[in-house]
Amino acid sequence: MVGHGDIRVVHRGGSKINSRQPVITQDSRFLLCASGECVKVFSTSTEECVHDLRGHTDAVTGVLLNPSNHLQAYSCSADGTVRLWDFTEGIHIKTYVIGYPVYCIYASAHHEGVIFVVTPMLNDKRSEVFQLVAVHLPQSGDQLVEALELSAVVSDVSSNPAAMGFGKGGEFIASAKGLHLEVFFFKKQKTYRFPLKEDNKKGGKNTFMCVACHQKEDCIATGHEDGKIRLWRNFSHKKEYTYSTLHWHHSAVSSLCFTPEGTNLLSGGLESVLVQWRYNQESQRDFLPRLGSAITHIAVSPDGALFCTSHSDNKITIIQSSVKVSAVIQGLVKGESVRTDLMVDPRSKSLVLNGKPGQLQFYSLQRDKLLYNLDIVQQEYIHESGLEQFEVVKAAFDASGSWMATVEERNEKAAELELNLKLWAFDEQTQSFVLNTTISTPHEARITDMCFCHAADSQTTMLVSTSKDGHFKAWQLSAAAHTEDEGPSWSCDFVGAYHSLVPERCCFSADGSLLAVSFQEVVTVWGPASWELLTTLSQPPQAIRDLCFGRLSCSKYLLGTTASKLLCCWNLLTCSLEWSTAMDVSLLLADPLTENMAAFCFHAGGTDLFVFQPSEPRPLFSHKAVCLGKVTRAIFSPREEMLESCEESSQWLNRSQLHFLTQYMDLMTFTTEAEEERLLASSRQLVVDDSVAMTPFYLLLGKHRRQETEDAVSSSLSSDTVPQSSAAIKQLLQTPAHVMPSTSYLCSMFVQSLLISVTDTREENKHAEEKMDSEREEEDSEEEMEPSDPRPQQASDACSLTKAQLRELRRVRNQDHSWSAGFL
Amino acid sequence: MAEFKVHRVRFFDYMPTAIRAMAFNHRTERLAVARADGALEIFNFADNYFQEKVIPGQDGRAAEALCWLGQRLFSAGLNGEITEYDLENLRPRYTVEAYGGPIWSISSNSQGTLLAVGCEDGTVKIFEILEERIQFQRNLDRQKGRIISLCWHPSGTLIAAGMMDMIKIFDAESGRATHRLLVERGVGASKSREVVVWSIVFLSDHTIISGDSAGKVQVWDGLTGTLVRTHLVTKWDVLALSSSQDESSVVAGTSEGTVVQFQFLSSNVGPQDKEWVRTRTFKNHSHDVRALAHTDTAVVSGGMDTQLVVRPLLDKVEKNTQESAMRKIAFPHRSLVCCAKKAGLLLFQFPDHLELWRLGESNGHGSPGDSLPVKRKPEKLIQLKRKGEDHISCSAVSPCGGWLAYSTVSSFRLYRLQNNTISVTKVSRLPKDLRSAQQLCFSSDSTKLFASSCRSSVLVVDLNQSDCKYLHTLRPKSGSSQPVHLLCVSEDGKWLATANTDCLIHVFNLDKLKLHCTVPVYSSCPTAIAIHPTNSNLVVVHADQQIFEYSLVQKEYTEWSRKLQKRGLHPLWMERDTPITHIAFNPKNPAHIILHDTFMFCIIDQNLPLPEAKTPLYNQMTLRSLPESERIMHSHAFKICKHFQHLLCVRLLEDHSLVVVERPLLDIQSQLPAPVRQKKFAT
């Protein structure tokens, strides 16, 4: 067996962004959220991902702003470390090694140098019992610090991060688990427990779901399974505690949050409605309905200007405090299952799969961003359980990406199966798919497989669908016969059957000259040009589960897997079985760019991966136990730029990447060590000279601007820039407003400054030197100003400076001023 | 358990009336409850919420407000009169006309010297309280609009009055209005309607809390006359308010049937900076909560749905004790049904009439649990309307079915019944002393009538074929002035036992017509007494569920009773929340005592061992599943049947069949008027 050495299975792209509560930064400009093994920094205004904070080697389980420095954030992970980041720059500052998997992280501004983490009970790592531990962060300059000073605070807590919260002034911490609310007072070092009955007579379930503490008053809000919210007061007494109950939600309250001033309480749950309760006037409520899907977390920015809600469909909604949605950050939508295969759109190279009900989502894996959703069913989805509605069950793209075929079905128990085959043409103008043909009831029974002819040079595109009704049909694009204004549409070209057996799978060879259709135990090979049955392969006689042609140099091979755990390879030139091996292959997959094929084998509760070439007897690569459970969906996606790995075991990853979906709907991929290093290095290299959001747009523009500056410097005197202009503007901007003359007086000066001057250069020089000083001051004090008026700066650079001055200027420019932002 | 043929009676249309007002006496722990028909009930909260006294109502007199003054109880009603009650003779003592139109509220100052009433004509009238009666003192400044609610400041210098659209604060000395607090009207359509301040509370820190018809509970500063806080509690009315004695908690009752608690809490840890915060909501009523009382440990509420609900505050009581259990008192703690054992007749007592029914008959045979076919349907023989304004306070039918007697507070009537021809003839010549009775009882041979009257005395009247003759008045030696609430004659007619609300049980020898003995006084009030027909043991059950057996011959507790006391009763028995209201004996098996409360009936077999605390008390179902041989091992003295619920009466007839009178609560609820409309989720 080939060792897999440096190839790892990782989350990369499409991971959950709704697993933990997002964090909005102090200035409400960024949103931090845990996503797989990294922390993503989104811009709240543009929805764009600004940084990936990479470094953790296991799922990130919590993000938190550093209470003593609001430009830094802590993140904790199941890998047993807590890392400190500068999220504006995307720089990793420190790693604190805890040594136990960390599930939640809490901190309070009133507990200096201490963070609180939830870990399994210290004596065994795999235990289901968790405790809250105070970690005293050692003051050390090293990057990697071992945090040794751990002290347990509360034992037996919930691992759900929403079930704990710091109270007013960090005086107490409230933790809920099961039917108990526990309040630990730091000053008294005392715990009070408040139990609830399991359920009341009316059938309400009292289990605690989440906790939130008022930051100005002693009040704890708890959400319960039956949709009630309780506001606890007077809990500093063991007995005389009291609570009031609010009830609007009809199912469990999943998240609660007080606004920083404590005037409002936000709650959300399955209803997909954000409810805003007025604190102390709870009968007044505001609602923000139709948020799309169940709310899982609610967060409020420290200034209270923004709310954000995470949703169960992997979405974060940013809401202005006037209860208006301002931005939506959408991750890869994951339902309970994916009924279509994973596909790659040949044009956008994006991953295509089921998204919201009745839609296909196009998700760019490279940029980890949802491109768009395509509504296939084009019917209103009704949110009601137990209602059968149209679902997209199959989709296929042709080789060039100009046609897409989808199958939707509705299977109501009483009624007949309703099937629709839809063909979509890519419209260059709108850059999206447009419905071309709808064929209702293309088959009598459920469609089992569907594929386009892959030949790139063929004149006509062909689609073959197989169905449980015993037929396979070939569909072809043909010009409309009767009317002229209609474009070409699709119609049935050929109906094939074989001994009234049920066709299961179909597959075109790479050049489109052969079509293989599996009829239970028999593989039939057809010539699509004349629709004659070329040959049948029935060796060995077992039901075929999967069928796949080899690619490129291996295109003479046809591979199939059988239900009786065999992987067979037929040579189509000899029409005989080339080789077969015993393997329980749950999924067989061909890489369209290479000869490689991947086989996922289900073995002993886990799945193993084998990558091989049909012509080679030896697998190129194998990986034992890539994940638990069966893998039924996977895809090779082409890389944007090739890797140059020469190691034999990782060569198969050079041109394309293999993604697969696990049982729990996690999208995983394989990565080499070299690739990881490169990614890590690239993220560290990023030097952002301003505090501007690092959007791709900015990078583009910023590069351009820098070039411009350099050009201007090099061309120095020759350009006729305006030195006074900067003087006037500087004056304008630096003088306090109350000592300034009236705007009308300044206006003429300002306009004059824009005119081309005719003063001699000597005077200019003097001016320029004066300006230099003032500019330096300005740079120190107000870095915000810099990007907003680059023109005068260019102008000053352009004037006749000595080489030394120029160097000095550059030095000043390159200095990092981010520290000053801390004082703001 | 012995097997009986059961008459399951559901034709007693007993309908309790709505609770109008409530007053709790913190010193004596008595709760006075006024009902819509004018009846007044006194509950003893120190003695397991036992309904000690019932003062029957009167047509045209319904108390709108109640007020305790020490041991004295006053009520005022919309008939414009103030009434003081004689709690010893269970009748109104006197009434005083206030001359201000209907009276909406009554309140006494904390010193107990003055009584203020709020009248329809806008006056607050102050009455001085004298030893024996009350005397009008003066009027406060007359206002436009009626005075709906009143509350004295604990210092006794200020009175807050709730009116239409406003609250006024009066200086009690000068009678001048010092502040006028305007109450906002409701929004929307109710904007044009006047808002009624239904209830008001004046606290010692000069905070005024008001509840109004716009559904608001408002907190005012009484010194400056400013609004501090508004809590919108309901869409309908807030009808009642009550504050705890330490003024840290206020409860408000609403038309929706909810009771909302407000607590005076500090928002931060530390004593300063407290505010009134809405905390708990209790929903135990289907209709308006008209009356509320805040005891030290519980909230007592009552209203249109006729039930009295005692809801303990869990922060004030020990968890999982008897005290922390919620109580709903739906039925009276005395029997309204009288059964003629020999004739098979049932007498139902209503406030304004009596109904006499003959039980049905069946000759079928069946296995236990079967319902037998009815050969003759039960029929209503007589409906007897009372005479006069006063409501019936007690009634009885003789065991032979030949005599019927009832009494109101002012009159007593005795009738001769002819069962075959169904005719009623009033006995016109009655003894002079027999003017009113609190309790009536016939001897088992129907030759004597016992009527309890004032000062715990019992009149004995001899009944002949057609007329009656005064025989004797039995008086206990002790000078207890409390009324007798239980009377019991032994089967052989030798003994008469009486119990009064002072917890005294006297036994008289009827042969000698003198006091035989007094049973040792137990601290809890007896709820049922009976004398065993053969061995003349007196069985007493008290409000705290204790059972005693007292031998009248030896004048001491019997061996079984001592054993029971030593062993202690089963905890589940002690946890039952309704008192035993009747005791009977099985003539077939002298060891059997039959008891019942509202939710079960029980046969105590004195031959069987007493249950241990750990053994299951309700074991009849498990016993049935066991084979015959093992049953003996598992059975214990208490055989409890919960098959019949909401029992008003369980009696054993002469022919060993059992009469069970049920009144399902659902039937009562269905007869109530429709409650206010409430939005229900998903409707």
Side-chain angles (χ1 to χ4, degrees), chain A residues 53-200:
Chain A
L53 308 180
R54 286 178 197 281
H56 283 293
T57 54
D58 204 338
V60 175
T61 50
V63 187
L64 184 75
L65 286 184
N66 185 353
S68 47
N69 183 348
H70 64 85
L71 293 176
Q72 296 175 346
Y74 288 110
S75 68
C76 66
S77 158
D79 63 4
T81 60
V82 171
R83 286 169 194 253
L84 183 63
W85 309 87
D86 180 337
F87 57 83
T88 48
E89 308 278 320
I91 294 170
H92 173 224
I93 300 173
K94 248 181 202 180
T95 303
Y96 299 99
V97 179
I98 307 291
Y100 300 93
V102 181
Y103 291 100
C104 318
I105 185 165
Y106 306 93
S108 162
H110 303 270
H111 294 270
E112 198 85 21
V114 181
I115 56 169
F116 296 86
V117 295
V118 171
T119 64
M121 282 302 208
L122 285 178
N123 36 26
D124 60 324
K125 287 191 179 188
R126 290 274 144 249
S127 114
E128 291 291 300
V129 187
F130 299 93
Q131 61 178 359
L132 182 75
V133 175
V135 180
H136 295 268
L137 299 177
Q139 298 295 320
S140 143
D142 298 339
Q143 268 239 321
L144 189 73
V145 191
E146 190 120 10
L148 296 168
E149 249 185 283
L150 307 181
S151 54
V153 180
V154 186
S155 58
D156 193 18
V157 298
S158 160
S159 63
N160 174 10
M164 213 182 289
F166 270 100
K168 185 200 76 178
E171 282 169 15
F172 60 89
I173 191 161
S175 146
K177 191 189 182 199
L179 290 163
H180 287 274
L181 175 70
E182 216 165 340
V183 183
F184 178 79
F185 287 89
F186 287 100
K187 216 177 270 171
K188 288 190 259 184
Q189 291 287 311
K190 220 168 162 186
T191 310
Y192 292 113
R193 274 168 83 87
F194 304 114
L196 281 180
K197 271 189 216 132
E198 187 166 6
D199 48 2
N200 52 26

Side-chain angles (χ1 to χ4, degrees), chain B residues 8-20:
Chain B
R8 191 171 192 175
V9 174
R10 287 196 171 189
F11 45 79
F12 180 26
D13 294 324
Y14 166 69
M15 189 65 203
T17 51
I19 293 174
R20 238 341 138 63

Side-chain angles (χ1 to χ4, degrees), chain B residues 36-81:
Chain B
D37 64 349
L40 201 74
E41 293 164 9
I42 311 282
F43 291 87
N44 186 354
F45 273 44
D47 191 11
N48 214 358
Y49 311 102
F50 181 61
Q51 187 186 40
E52 272 185 348
K53 293 168 190 175
V54 177
I55 300 174
Q58 190 186 45
D59 285 347
R61 189 192 73 207
E64 189 67 25
L66 285 175
C67 177
W68 283 97
L69 253 172
Q71 303 269 31
R72 298 166 73 177
L73 181 66
F74 294 90
S75 82
L78 296 180
N79 57 358
E81 288 172 344

Side-chain angles (χ1 to χ4, degrees), chain A residues 337-599:
Chain A
S337 66
V338 170
R339 296 196 61 181
T340 63
D341 262 324
L342 296 184
M343 282 157 300
V344 169
D345 175 21
R347 272 176 200 269
S348 59
K349 306 279 183 276
S350 57
L351 185 72
V352 181
L353 68 159
N354 279 135
K356 292 177 180 164
Q359 301 190 355
L360 280 183
Q361 57 180 334
F362 287 69
Y363 192 86
S364 166
L365 286 166
Q366 277 74 27
R367 290 188 285 144
D368 198 6
K369 193 169 182 297
L370 184 82
L371 297 181
Y372 60 93
N373 283 314
L374 186 66
D375 191 356
I376 301 294
V377 170
Q378 298 182 334
Q379 276 181 11
E380 188 72 30
Y381 185 76
I382 302 160
H383 288 270
E384 193 185 314
S385 60
L387 199 65
E388 286 292 334
Q389 298 180 67
F390 270 113
E391 266 188 285
V392 186
V393 293
K394 287 272 183 295
F397 287 92
D398 77 340
S400 59
S402 51
W403 288 99
M404 178 176 74
T406 60
V407 177
E408 66 210 37
E409 66 175 44
R410 178 163 69 171
N411 195 6
E412 259 177 305
K413 270 175 208 121
E416 274 185 4
L417 177 78
E418 285 179 76
L419 265 183
N420 280 328
L421 174 65
K422 284 183 179 169
L423 286 131
W424 305 74
F426 190 77
D427 186 357
E428 294 284 349
Q429 239 141 31
T430 57
Q431 289 289 309
S432 71
F433 285 93
V434 179
L435 183 64
N436 178 277
T437 312
T438 305
I439 302 157
S440 56
T441 328
H443 283 274
E444 305 287 300
R446 182 164 285 159
I447 290 181
T448 53
D449 200 9
M450 185 166 73
C451 80
F452 272 101
C453 174
H454 280 293
D457 53 339
S458 66
Q459 292 300 308
T460 53
T461 356
M462 186 187 289
L463 174 75
V464 170
S465 60
T466 60
S467 163
K468 285 223 192 285
D469 63 359
H471 299 290
F472 72 91
K473 291 188 182 177
W475 308 86
Q476 233 169 2
L477 189 67
S478 56
H482 25 111
T483 49
E484 271 121 46
D485 52 309
E486 274 180 38
S489 63
W490 289 75
S491 56
C492 186
D493 183 46
F494 178 73
V495 181
Y498 183 81
H499 288 287
S500 66
L501 291 174
V502 177
E504 285 291 337
R505 312 287 299 181
C506 62
C507 184
F508 271 103
S509 68
D511 58 354
S513 61
L514 291 174
L515 169 71
V517 182
S518 74
F519 285 91
Q520 288 166 356
E521 297 94 22
V522 188
V523 178
T524 56
V525 182
W526 305 72
S530 56
W531 289 119
E532 68 180 309
L533 181 61
L534 297 178
T535 181
T536 58
L537 306 163
S538 54
Q539 263 291 311
Q542 261 131 15
I544 303 293
R545 196 192 272 168
D546 229 335
L547 209 58
C548 202
F549 271 101
R551 302 279 166 188
L552 305 175
S553 64
C554 300
S555 53
K556 61 184 176 195
Y557 296 108
L558 176 66
L559 287 101
T561 63
T562 67
S564 57
K565 302 174 185 178
L566 271 184
L567 174 63
C568 313
C569 175
W570 293 279
N571 190 333
L572 290 174
L573 297 179
T574 60
C575 290
S576 62
L577 189 68
E578 186 92 354
W579 52 265
S580 73
T581 171
M583 259 182 190
D584 183 13
V585 180
S586 60
L587 185 67
L588 185 68
L589 207 63
D591 183 357
L593 299 179
T594 61
E595 295 96 341
N596 298 332
M597 306 202 76

Side-chain angles (χ1 to χ4, degrees), chain B residues 168-218:
Chain B
K168 286 247 167 144
I169 302 173
F170 294 95
D171 190 317
E173 305 282 312
S174 65
R176 302 252 169 256
T178 56
H179 279 295
R180 195 177 72 138
L181 318 176
L182 286 178
V183 179
E184 234 179 85
R185 291 185 180 181
V187 286
S190 54
K191 189 98 190 166
S192 57
R193 235 180 315 152
E194 283 182 309
V195 60
V196 186
V197 180
W198 282 120
S199 186
I200 196 161
V201 168
F202 208 159
L203 302 178
S204 53
D205 62 350
H206 290 278
T207 302
I208 295 173
I209 299 175
S210 68
D212 57 45
S213 63
K216 304 190 294 284
V217 171
Q218 289 182 312

